[in-house]
Amino acid sequence: MEKYIRSDLLEESFCADFGGSQRSMRAPVTKNKIFSLYRTRVEEDDNTPNLSHPKGNYITFFSSDIISLSNKDFDTLTVAVSRELRDLMLSKVKNIDSVMIVGLGNPSITSDSLGAKTIEKISVLNEIGKKPHAYAFSVGVSSVTGIETAEHIKGLSGVCRPDLILVIDSLAARSRKRLYSTVQMSDAGIIPGAGIGDLRSPINEDTVGAPVISIGVPTVISSSTLICDTLKDAGIESISKELKATLDSDKSFFVTSGYCDIEIKGASMMLSRAIELACFENI
């Protein structure tokens, strides 16, 4: 059933359904009552079917549904995310004088609006004498703008000339348990649409002209993945010819939480605050 399963989350590639990954090194897991933290390095580009994880470092937080956290636990998770993000940024660029923060996705589709909603909540003050100088943009999607997202960011980077680019995007998950409860960041950039089978041009240093850090939260799961995940939970390891024919018809669609507007609000609040802490404050 693995051919019908899609995900943007590296940690889900270690599931038996994907046969595991032999090209990654996992560091020990940090666990507490609020979240589990994984640090993983992909040693070479992972071209596993339905997954796309370029070579680089990946940091993943697994928690409860973000909006279900108490204010105290929400703040604890936010600070932890900001510290990991800051360390990842500094591992790429030691002295960051300027950073460009870019929200990806279609703001007209709630489950894909995480990037835009996060950008709306980030305060870019750029006080005189204070670094890094920041730029913040929401670039939309090529089906709306007519411009490939990587080309759009490359153009903005050519004008702003940032030391580092931070991109925010909605992700796809394999497990419904991961929706709105996981944060993944990476210094390998991002391939928009990878988790939904609509690969676009990669966004990385080679394509946009500056080091790229990506961060996102899974907001959707494909219907075929949901079906296969549910069957597996029920102990069903094989599927009928009729179901296989339906899945092979490539008519899969994507589903999200019934409370996605509230979930997006909570996730974007957490990410915007974590980014502000990582970029502009001592933590």
Side-chain angles (χ1 to χ4, degrees):
M1 288 191 282
E2 64 272 10
K3 67 179 286 189
Y4 305 113
I5 297 174
R6 300 185 183 280
S7 177
D8 281 312
L9 300 179
L10 176 66
E11 288 304 316
E12 291 186 327
S13 73
F14 290 97
C15 297
D17 289 330
F18 290 124
S21 174
Q22 302 302 315
R23 296 180 295 278
S24 302
M25 297 177 59
R26 302 174 87 190
V29 181
T30 299
K31 285 188 176 181
N32 57 44
K33 66 173 186 171
I34 303 170
F35 60 81
S36 297
L37 168 63
Y38 290 79
R39 295 189 186 94
T40 310
R41 176 165 179 79
V42 174
E43 298 295 344
E44 59 184 81
D45 290 348
D46 190 343
N47 296 313
T48 304
N50 296 342
L51 295 165
S52 188
H53 299 118
K55 177 181 177 180
N57 296 292
Y58 293 77
I59 298 168
T60 309
F61 286 85
F62 293 139
S63 182
S64 302
D65 193 326
I66 291 172
I67 64 169
S68 71
L69 297 173
S70 67
N71 289 341
K72 182 179 179 181
D73 289 349
F74 182 93
D75 290 343
T76 299
L77 176 61
T78 300
V79 170
V81 169
S82 70
R83 285 174 173 159
E84 292 294 327
L85 179 59
R86 184 176 180 83
D87 288 347
L88 196 60
M89 292 167 63
L90 292 175
S91 72
K92 295 293 288 185
V93 181
K94 295 298 182 183
N95 297 301
I96 304 174
D97 291 331
S98 62
V99 59
M100 189 169 82
I101 308 167
V102 183
L104 309 185
N106 190 339
S108 299
I109 300 175
T110 304
S111 61
D112 198 29
S113 65
L114 179 65
K117 294 296 183 184
T118 302
I119 291 295
E120 288 177 3
K121 296 178 176 66
I122 293 175
S123 297
V124 179
L125 299 178
N126 288 333
E127 298 176 18
I128 296 175
K130 189 173 182 180
K131 296 181 179 180
H133 189 93
Y135 309 90
F137 304 98
S138 178
V139 296
V141 292
S142 59
S143 61
V144 175
T145 64
I147 305 172
E148 197 60 58
T149 303
E151 289 297 321
H152 199 160
I153 295 174
K154 181 179 180 180
L156 292 170
S157 177
V159 174
C160 300
R161 300 190 180 280
D163 295 317
L164 183 75
I165 297 173
L166 175 61
V167 297
I168 310 148
D169 199 11
S170 302
L171 307 177
R174 169 196 178 272
S175 170
R176 58 191 180 278
K177 298 174 184 177
R178 302 300 183 203
L179 297 184
Y180 301 102
S181 62
T182 302
V183 179
Q184 177 175 277
M185 63 185 81
S186 172
D187 63 3
I190 192 170
I191 303 176
I196 62 173
D198 182 27
L199 274 68
R200 314 303 300 185
S201 297
I203 298 171
N204 54 41
E205 186 171 1
D206 291 337
T207 60
V208 299
V212 176
I213 301 291
S214 65
I215 186 168
V217 171
T219 63
V220 295
I221 182 171
S222 75
S223 59
S224 59
T225 299
L226 185 61
I227 290 168
C228 293
D229 200 36
T230 302
L231 290 175
K232 186 180 178 185
D233 286 348
I236 301 172
E237 298 295 337
S238 60
I239 58 178
S240 67
K241 292 181 180 179
E242 292 78 10
L243 178 55
K244 184 177 184 300
T246 300
L247 295 174
D248 283 337
S249 68
D250 200 29
K251 294 182 179 178
S252 178
F253 54 90
F254 291 84
V255 295
T256 188
S257 163
Y259 303 96
C260 65
D261 52 343
I262 301 172
E263 302 272 18
I264 286 289
K265 181 178 180 180
S268 61
M269 285 179 61
M270 189 273 291
L271 288 184
S272 62
R273 184 55 182 150
I275 290 169
E276 287 179 339
L277 286 171
C279 292
F280 310 126
E281 299 183 27
N282 293 321
I283 52 174

